[in-house]
Amino acid sequence: MAFELPPLPYAKNALAPHMSEQTLDFHYGKHHNGYVVKLNTLVPGTKYESMSLMDVIAESSKVAADKGIFNNSAQIWNHSFYWECLSPDGGGDPSGALYDALTSSFGSVDTFREQFSQKAVTLFGSGWAWLVKKADGSLAIEQTSNADTPVTGSDTPLLTCDVWEHAYYVDYRNARPKYVEAYWNLVNWDFVAKNLG
Ligand code: FE2
């Protein structure tokens, strides 16, 4: 059973002007799809062949020799999660339990946005910024490098921002801060609230 590219939750032009159709063409159609194609060349004949994507990520993360399998499987999951974090109807402020959780953890939603943006902008090289729920129920903002993902640990991811250059170079060239600023217009708070549970 081959791994598959999940459908985008919206049309490729639905996130414009904050994120262009051309960015989605490349980021979803080439990069995300590329991880799927690559993983499907790596797993046949291995113990990973019949595992779920989550199990592939968890198992390959423990085996140095399977770094390629880890990188591609984790990037498939990270990107599928990232697309769900965005919405043409996104942006604005969260409400309800999520608003309360962000306010009590960070002081205000604006302070949360500032701190998350800071983590996204300052991450050196390629990677991801995350809002996670820790095992003790508290919220935290984290950075992961390259394909690394919170799902290999005990944290529950609530929100992510892809800060690989391929996420913003088409629309914002090297200006990662401009991309992160635009990102807030797309954040799907309903999805974040659902992840908070
Ligand atoms: Fe990406």
Side-chain angles (χ1 to χ4, degrees), residues 122-149:
T122 58
L123 189 146
F124 186 77
S126 296
W128 302 79
W130 304 86
L131 172 67
V132 299
K133 183 166 73 173
K134 313 286 284 184
D136 66 3
S138 65
L139 301 189
I141 303 167
E142 294 181 350
Q143 297 174 326
T144 62
S145 289
N146 301 315
D148 285 354
T149 176

PDB file of all heavy atoms in Angstrom, residues 122-149:
ATOM      1  N   THR A 122      13.397  33.530  13.686  1.00  0.00           N
ATOM      2  CA  THR A 122      14.788  33.351  14.125  1.00  0.00           C
ATOM      3  C   THR A 122      15.300  31.929  13.958  1.00  0.00           C
ATOM      4  O   THR A 122      16.474  31.675  14.196  1.00  0.00           O
ATOM      5  CB  THR A 122      14.954  33.734  15.619  1.00  0.00           C
ATOM      6  OG1 THR A 122      14.073  32.917  16.404  1.00  0.00           O
ATOM      7  CG2 THR A 122      14.639  35.203  15.832  1.00  0.00           C
ATOM      8  N   LEU A 123      14.442  30.996  13.550  1.00  0.00           N
ATOM      9  CA  LEU A 123      14.919  29.621  13.362  1.00  0.00           C
ATOM     10  C   LEU A 123      16.019  29.617  12.304  1.00  0.00           C
ATOM     11  O   LEU A 123      15.809  30.098  11.191  1.00  0.00           O
ATOM     12  CB  LEU A 123      13.763  28.716  12.945  1.00  0.00           C
ATOM     13  CG  LEU A 123      14.071  27.226  12.913  1.00  0.00           C
ATOM     14  CD1 LEU A 123      12.841  26.429  13.318  1.00  0.00           C
ATOM     15  CD2 LEU A 123      14.546  26.777  11.547  1.00  0.00           C
ATOM     16  N   PHE A 124      17.185  29.117  12.651  1.00  0.00           N
ATOM     17  CA  PHE A 124      18.323  29.139  11.729  1.00  0.00           C
ATOM     18  C   PHE A 124      18.199  27.997  10.726  1.00  0.00           C
ATOM     19  O   PHE A 124      18.078  26.843  11.116  1.00  0.00           O
ATOM     20  CB  PHE A 124      19.641  29.029  12.508  1.00  0.00           C
ATOM     21  CG  PHE A 124      20.847  29.187  11.631  1.00  0.00           C
ATOM     22  CD1 PHE A 124      21.246  30.447  11.199  1.00  0.00           C
ATOM     23  CD2 PHE A 124      21.562  28.079  11.213  1.00  0.00           C
ATOM     24  CE1 PHE A 124      22.350  30.596  10.371  1.00  0.00           C
ATOM     25  CE2 PHE A 124      22.675  28.222  10.388  1.00  0.00           C
ATOM     26  CZ  PHE A 124      23.064  29.477   9.965  1.00  0.00           C
ATOM     27  N   GLY A 125      18.241  28.330   9.444  1.00  0.00           N
ATOM     28  CA  GLY A 125      18.134  27.303   8.419  1.00  0.00           C
ATOM     29  C   GLY A 125      16.688  26.900   8.195  1.00  0.00           C
ATOM     30  O   GLY A 125      15.777  27.715   8.341  1.00  0.00           O
ATOM     31  N   SER A 126      16.471  25.646   7.831  1.00  0.00           N
ATOM     32  CA  SER A 126      15.141  25.156   7.497  1.00  0.00           C
ATOM     33  C   SER A 126      14.486  24.491   8.696  1.00  0.00           C
ATOM     34  O   SER A 126      15.157  23.836   9.486  1.00  0.00           O
ATOM     35  CB  SER A 126      15.228  24.123   6.364  1.00  0.00           C
ATOM     36  OG  SER A 126      15.710  24.729   5.192  1.00  0.00           O
ATOM     37  N   GLY A 127      13.167  24.637   8.817  1.00  0.00           N
ATOM     38  CA  GLY A 127      12.478  23.965   9.909  1.00  0.00           C
ATOM     39  C   GLY A 127      11.076  24.470  10.088  1.00  0.00           C
ATOM     40  O   GLY A 127      10.466  25.006   9.154  1.00  0.00           O
ATOM     41  N   TRP A 128      10.602  24.335  11.307  1.00  0.00           N
ATOM     42  CA  TRP A 128       9.200  24.574  11.620  1.00  0.00           C
ATOM     43  C   TRP A 128       9.075  25.261  12.977  1.00  0.00           C
ATOM     44  O   TRP A 128       9.813  24.933  13.904  1.00  0.00           O
ATOM     45  CB  TRP A 128       8.455  23.239  11.693  1.00  0.00           C
ATOM     46  CG  TRP A 128       8.530  22.426  10.438  1.00  0.00           C
ATOM     47  CD1 TRP A 128       9.581  21.646  10.021  1.00  0.00           C
ATOM     48  CD2 TRP A 128       7.530  22.326   9.415  1.00  0.00           C
ATOM     49  NE1 TRP A 128       9.280  21.073   8.809  1.00  0.00           N
ATOM     50  CE2 TRP A 128       8.032  21.465   8.418  1.00  0.00           C
ATOM     51  CE3 TRP A 128       6.259  22.884   9.256  1.00  0.00           C
ATOM     52  CZ2 TRP A 128       7.302  21.153   7.271  1.00  0.00           C
ATOM     53  CZ3 TRP A 128       5.530  22.568   8.114  1.00  0.00           C
ATOM     54  CH2 TRP A 128       6.054  21.715   7.135  1.00  0.00           C
ATOM     55  N   ALA A 129       8.109  26.160  13.099  1.00  0.00           N
ATOM     56  CA  ALA A 129       7.710  26.690  14.407  1.00  0.00           C
ATOM     57  C   ALA A 129       6.389  26.028  14.771  1.00  0.00           C
ATOM     58  O   ALA A 129       5.535  25.813  13.890  1.00  0.00           O
ATOM     59  CB  ALA A 129       7.540  28.208  14.348  1.00  0.00           C
ATOM     60  N   TRP A 130       6.231  25.717  16.056  1.00  0.00           N
ATOM     61  CA  TRP A 130       5.050  24.965  16.517  1.00  0.00           C
ATOM     62  C   TRP A 130       4.474  25.582  17.779  1.00  0.00           C
ATOM     63  O   TRP A 130       5.228  26.013  18.670  1.00  0.00           O
ATOM     64  CB  TRP A 130       5.442  23.531  16.886  1.00  0.00           C
ATOM     65  CG  TRP A 130       6.112  22.741  15.819  1.00  0.00           C
ATOM     66  CD1 TRP A 130       7.457  22.714  15.537  1.00  0.00           C
ATOM     67  CD2 TRP A 130       5.493  21.834  14.887  1.00  0.00           C
ATOM     68  NE1 TRP A 130       7.698  21.849  14.487  1.00  0.00           N
ATOM     69  CE2 TRP A 130       6.518  21.297  14.080  1.00  0.00           C
ATOM     70  CE3 TRP A 130       4.168  21.425  14.684  1.00  0.00           C
ATOM     71  CZ2 TRP A 130       6.263  20.366  13.064  1.00  0.00           C
ATOM     72  CZ3 TRP A 130       3.910  20.515  13.676  1.00  0.00           C
ATOM     73  CH2 TRP A 130       4.950  19.999  12.870  1.00  0.00           C
ATOM     74  N   LEU A 131       3.151  25.567  17.878  1.00  0.00           N
ATOM     75  CA  LEU A 131       2.487  25.693  19.175  1.00  0.00           C
ATOM     76  C   LEU A 131       2.121  24.272  19.572  1.00  0.00           C
ATOM     77  O   LEU A 131       1.501  23.548  18.772  1.00  0.00           O
ATOM     78  CB  LEU A 131       1.224  26.549  19.060  1.00  0.00           C
ATOM     79  CG  LEU A 131       0.346  26.583  20.321  1.00  0.00           C
ATOM     80  CD1 LEU A 131       1.048  27.305  21.471  1.00  0.00           C
ATOM     81  CD2 LEU A 131      -1.015  27.225  20.006  1.00  0.00           C
ATOM     82  N   VAL A 132       2.559  23.871  20.762  1.00  0.00           N
ATOM     83  CA  VAL A 132       2.279  22.503  21.210  1.00  0.00           C
ATOM     84  C   VAL A 132       1.631  22.520  22.588  1.00  0.00           C
ATOM     85  O   VAL A 132       1.769  23.476  23.353  1.00  0.00           O
ATOM     86  CB  VAL A 132       3.576  21.645  21.285  1.00  0.00           C
ATOM     87  CG1 VAL A 132       4.233  21.544  19.918  1.00  0.00           C
ATOM     88  CG2 VAL A 132       4.552  22.186  22.332  1.00  0.00           C
ATOM     89  N   LYS A 133       0.930  21.423  22.856  1.00  0.00           N
ATOM     90  CA  LYS A 133       0.427  21.173  24.216  1.00  0.00           C
ATOM     91  C   LYS A 133       1.343  20.118  24.819  1.00  0.00           C
ATOM     92  O   LYS A 133       1.520  19.043  24.262  1.00  0.00           O
ATOM     93  CB  LYS A 133      -1.024  20.672  24.170  1.00  0.00           C
ATOM     94  CG  LYS A 133      -1.619  20.473  25.552  1.00  0.00           C
ATOM     95  CD  LYS A 133      -3.145  20.313  25.508  1.00  0.00           C
ATOM     96  CE  LYS A 133      -3.558  18.975  24.947  1.00  0.00           C
ATOM     97  NZ  LYS A 133      -5.005  18.726  25.042  1.00  0.00           N
ATOM     98  N   LYS A 134       1.942  20.485  25.951  1.00  0.00           N
ATOM     99  CA  LYS A 134       2.853  19.561  26.623  1.00  0.00           C
ATOM    100  C   LYS A 134       2.044  18.474  27.343  1.00  0.00           C
ATOM    101  O   LYS A 134       0.833  18.607  27.523  1.00  0.00           O
ATOM    102  CB  LYS A 134       3.715  20.309  27.653  1.00  0.00           C
ATOM    103  CG  LYS A 134       4.349  21.590  27.162  1.00  0.00           C
ATOM    104  CD  LYS A 134       5.500  21.351  26.224  1.00  0.00           C
ATOM    105  CE  LYS A 134       6.756  20.893  26.947  1.00  0.00           C
ATOM    106  NZ  LYS A 134       7.891  20.770  25.994  1.00  0.00           N
ATOM    107  N   ALA A 135       2.765  17.436  27.773  1.00  0.00           N
ATOM    108  CA  ALA A 135       2.102  16.315  28.454  1.00  0.00           C
ATOM    109  C   ALA A 135       1.358  16.784  29.710  1.00  0.00           C
ATOM    110  O   ALA A 135       0.341  16.199  30.087  1.00  0.00           O
ATOM    111  CB  ALA A 135       3.125  15.245  28.796  1.00  0.00           C
ATOM    112  N   ASP A 136       1.848  17.865  30.350  1.00  0.00           N
ATOM    113  CA  ASP A 136       1.189  18.363  31.568  1.00  0.00           C
ATOM    114  C   ASP A 136       0.030  19.325  31.249  1.00  0.00           C
ATOM    115  O   ASP A 136      -0.562  19.917  32.168  1.00  0.00           O
ATOM    116  CB  ASP A 136       2.213  19.046  32.487  1.00  0.00           C
ATOM    117  CG  ASP A 136       2.804  20.318  31.881  1.00  0.00           C
ATOM    118  OD1 ASP A 136       2.379  20.716  30.771  1.00  0.00           O
ATOM    119  OD2 ASP A 136       3.708  20.910  32.502  1.00  0.00           O
ATOM    120  N   GLY A 137      -0.258  19.496  29.957  1.00  0.00           N
ATOM    121  CA  GLY A 137      -1.388  20.325  29.558  1.00  0.00           C
ATOM    122  C   GLY A 137      -1.030  21.774  29.265  1.00  0.00           C
ATOM    123  O   GLY A 137      -1.858  22.519  28.743  1.00  0.00           O
ATOM    124  N   SER A 138       0.198  22.186  29.595  1.00  0.00           N
ATOM    125  CA  SER A 138       0.600  23.570  29.335  1.00  0.00           C
ATOM    126  C   SER A 138       0.902  23.770  27.850  1.00  0.00           C
ATOM    127  O   SER A 138       1.188  22.805  27.128  1.00  0.00           O
ATOM    128  CB  SER A 138       1.825  23.931  30.186  1.00  0.00           C
ATOM    129  OG  SER A 138       2.933  23.153  29.802  1.00  0.00           O
ATOM    130  N   LEU A 139       0.854  25.013  27.390  1.00  0.00           N
ATOM    131  CA  LEU A 139       1.157  25.334  25.999  1.00  0.00           C
ATOM    132  C   LEU A 139       2.575  25.872  25.890  1.00  0.00           C
ATOM    133  O   LEU A 139       3.063  26.540  26.797  1.00  0.00           O
ATOM    134  CB  LEU A 139       0.178  26.386  25.463  1.00  0.00           C
ATOM    135  CG  LEU A 139      -1.312  26.041  25.490  1.00  0.00           C
ATOM    136  CD1 LEU A 139      -2.103  27.107  24.718  1.00  0.00           C
ATOM    137  CD2 LEU A 139      -1.578  24.663  24.907  1.00  0.00           C
ATOM    138  N   ALA A 140       3.237  25.589  24.767  1.00  0.00           N
ATOM    139  CA  ALA A 140       4.593  26.079  24.546  1.00  0.00           C
ATOM    140  C   ALA A 140       4.812  26.305  23.059  1.00  0.00           C
ATOM    141  O   ALA A 140       4.140  25.704  22.223  1.00  0.00           O
ATOM    142  CB  ALA A 140       5.613  25.079  25.079  1.00  0.00           C
ATOM    143  N   ILE A 141       5.763  27.202  22.761  1.00  0.00           N
ATOM    144  CA  ILE A 141       6.159  27.460  21.374  1.00  0.00           C
ATOM    145  C   ILE A 141       7.525  26.818  21.173  1.00  0.00           C
ATOM    146  O   ILE A 141       8.430  27.018  21.987  1.00  0.00           O
ATOM    147  CB  ILE A 141       6.240  28.968  21.086  1.00  0.00           C
ATOM    148  CG1 ILE A 141       4.897  29.631  21.386  1.00  0.00           C
ATOM    149  CG2 ILE A 141       6.642  29.210  19.642  1.00  0.00           C
ATOM    150  CD1 ILE A 141       4.972  31.155  21.432  1.00  0.00           C
ATOM    151  N   GLU A 142       7.663  26.036  20.106  1.00  0.00           N
ATOM    152  CA  GLU A 142       8.912  25.313  19.877  1.00  0.00           C
ATOM    153  C   GLU A 142       9.373  25.474  18.442  1.00  0.00           C
ATOM    154  O   GLU A 142       8.594  25.825  17.565  1.00  0.00           O
ATOM    155  CB  GLU A 142       8.711  23.823  20.193  1.00  0.00           C
ATOM    156  CG  GLU A 142       8.446  23.594  21.671  1.00  0.00           C
ATOM    157  CD  GLU A 142       8.272  22.143  22.045  1.00  0.00           C
ATOM    158  OE1 GLU A 142       8.168  21.300  21.132  1.00  0.00           O
ATOM    159  OE2 GLU A 142       8.237  21.868  23.251  1.00  0.00           O
ATOM    160  N   GLN A 143      10.663  25.208  18.244  1.00  0.00           N
ATOM    161  CA  GLN A 143      11.237  25.164  16.902  1.00  0.00           C
ATOM    162  C   GLN A 143      11.729  23.743  16.658  1.00  0.00           C
ATOM    163  O   GLN A 143      12.265  23.118  17.574  1.00  0.00           O
ATOM    164  CB  GLN A 143      12.467  26.082  16.807  1.00  0.00           C
ATOM    165  CG  GLN A 143      12.198  27.552  17.025  1.00  0.00           C
ATOM    166  CD  GLN A 143      13.498  28.352  17.054  1.00  0.00           C
ATOM    167  OE1 GLN A 143      14.528  27.862  17.522  1.00  0.00           O
ATOM    168  NE2 GLN A 143      13.451  29.581  16.573  1.00  0.00           N
ATOM    169  N   THR A 144      11.566  23.259  15.416  1.00  0.00           N
ATOM    170  CA  THR A 144      12.250  22.028  15.032  1.00  0.00           C
ATOM    171  C   THR A 144      13.018  22.296  13.750  1.00  0.00           C
ATOM    172  O   THR A 144      12.598  23.123  12.927  1.00  0.00           O
ATOM    173  CB  THR A 144      11.288  20.847  14.809  1.00  0.00           C
ATOM    174  OG1 THR A 144      10.386  21.154  13.739  1.00  0.00           O
ATOM    175  CG2 THR A 144      10.507  20.506  16.076  1.00  0.00           C
ATOM    176  N   SER A 145      14.145  21.617  13.587  1.00  0.00           N
ATOM    177  CA  SER A 145      14.977  21.806  12.401  1.00  0.00           C
ATOM    178  C   SER A 145      14.657  20.766  11.339  1.00  0.00           C
ATOM    179  O   SER A 145      14.310  19.620  11.653  1.00  0.00           O
ATOM    180  CB  SER A 145      16.455  21.677  12.763  1.00  0.00           C
ATOM    181  OG  SER A 145      16.855  22.788  13.519  1.00  0.00           O
ATOM    182  N   ASN A 146      14.783  21.176  10.102  1.00  0.00           N
ATOM    183  CA  ASN A 146      14.638  20.271   8.955  1.00  0.00           C
ATOM    184  C   ASN A 146      13.302  19.542   9.016  1.00  0.00           C
ATOM    185  O   ASN A 146      12.269  20.179   9.045  1.00  0.00           O
ATOM    186  CB  ASN A 146      15.845  19.340   8.873  1.00  0.00           C
ATOM    187  CG  ASN A 146      17.129  20.148   8.727  1.00  0.00           C
ATOM    188  OD1 ASN A 146      17.178  21.080   7.942  1.00  0.00           O
ATOM    189  ND2 ASN A 146      18.142  19.812   9.495  1.00  0.00           N
ATOM    190  N   ALA A 147      13.316  18.208   9.078  1.00  0.00           N
ATOM    191  CA  ALA A 147      12.054  17.447   9.093  1.00  0.00           C
ATOM    192  C   ALA A 147      11.579  17.139  10.493  1.00  0.00           C
ATOM    193  O   ALA A 147      10.518  16.533  10.665  1.00  0.00           O
ATOM    194  CB  ALA A 147      12.235  16.145   8.313  1.00  0.00           C
ATOM    195  N   ASP A 148      12.337  17.531  11.508  1.00  0.00           N
ATOM    196  CA  ASP A 148      11.987  17.126  12.875  1.00  0.00           C
ATOM    197  C   ASP A 148      10.585  17.611  13.245  1.00  0.00           C
ATOM    198  O   ASP A 148      10.152  18.688  12.815  1.00  0.00           O
ATOM    199  CB  ASP A 148      13.019  17.640  13.875  1.00  0.00           C
ATOM    200  CG  ASP A 148      14.307  16.830  13.802  1.00  0.00           C
ATOM    201  OD1 ASP A 148      14.334  15.821  13.053  1.00  0.00           O
ATOM    202  OD2 ASP A 148      15.284  17.205  14.475  1.00  0.00           O
ATOM    203  N   THR A 149       9.917  16.806  14.057  1.00  0.00           N
ATOM    204  CA  THR A 149       8.486  17.004  14.305  1.00  0.00           C
ATOM    205  C   THR A 149       8.144  16.649  15.742  1.00  0.00           C
ATOM    206  O   THR A 149       8.725  15.707  16.296  1.00  0.00           O
ATOM    207  CB  THR A 149       7.670  16.129  13.320  1.00  0.00           C
ATOM    208  OG1 THR A 149       6.287  16.251  13.617  1.00  0.00           O
ATOM    209  CG2 THR A 149       8.076  14.660  13.380  1.00  0.00           C
TER     210      THR A 149
END
